[in-house]
Structures are given as structure tokens and as C-alpha cells.
Amino acid sequence: MKQAPAPKPQAQRVDVWLFHARFGRSRSACAQIATSGHVRINRQRVTKAHALVRAGDVLTLPAPDRKAVIVIRVTGQAERRQAAPLAQLLYEIVPETA
């Protein structure tokens, strides 16, 4: 008998989502980003790697140079880490308003 495919998760841990979206080279690096206190989910500071991220949430992350921030909107979730072009489909960058 064939089993039905597992449903896509409605919510995902922030460290796992960051790893799948390729914001870090390893899951432990993404957990460190999440626990550093510089990540916000919907304007709420995150200090735990197990905080949940859902589609539609707005994340504020430190930029790679650590001198600025990146604001993104979560558009999807993945079950595993994929190629960069597919990972970019998991979020959209929110443009700055002057």
C-alpha cells in the first residue's frame, strides 16, 4: 500500500527555516544567529532557536556585514535544504521605506 505524502509543516523552527533558506552554512550556525538576540519575528525579539516561523511572518535579520539589517517576509517553508534559487523562493525582501 502506498502512503500519502506527509503534509507540509504549517510552522517551522526559526533555526531550521534559516538553514533551509540558506542564511547560514550549517544548522548550528543558524541556531547561533537565532539565539544571538538580533533576530526578530514580527517585531518580537527571538532568543530561542525553537521559536516558530509561519508563512506571512516578517523577519528582521542582521546583514552579513553586521552593520545593517535585512527585513524579509516568509513566503514558504521547505522540508529540506535545497539549491540557492529554490531557497530564495522561501522569502521576499521587504523594501525599505524612506
Side-chain angles (χ1 to χ4, degrees), residues 10-54:
Q10 299 296 317
Q12 197 167 38
R13 288 173 54 122
V14 68
D15 62 337
V16 174
W17 188 89
L18 289 170
F19 180 62
H20 291 172
R22 301 182 80 77
F23 281 95
R25 288 180 172 241
S26 66
R27 184 168 168 194
S28 61
C30 292
Q32 188 174 10
I33 293 169
T35 58
S36 68
H38 298 294
V39 176
R40 293 178 182 267
I41 301 175
N42 298 327
R43 296 186 177 180
Q44 297 293 319
R45 184 179 300 262
V46 174
T47 57
K48 305 285 184 183
H50 64 266
L52 296 179
V53 175
R54 295 171 177 80

Side-chain angles (χ1 to χ4, degrees), residues 51-68:
L52 296 179
V53 175
R54 295 171 177 80
D57 285 350
V58 176
L59 299 181
T60 306
L61 306 165
D65 63 1
R66 304 281 188 215
K67 295 180 182 178

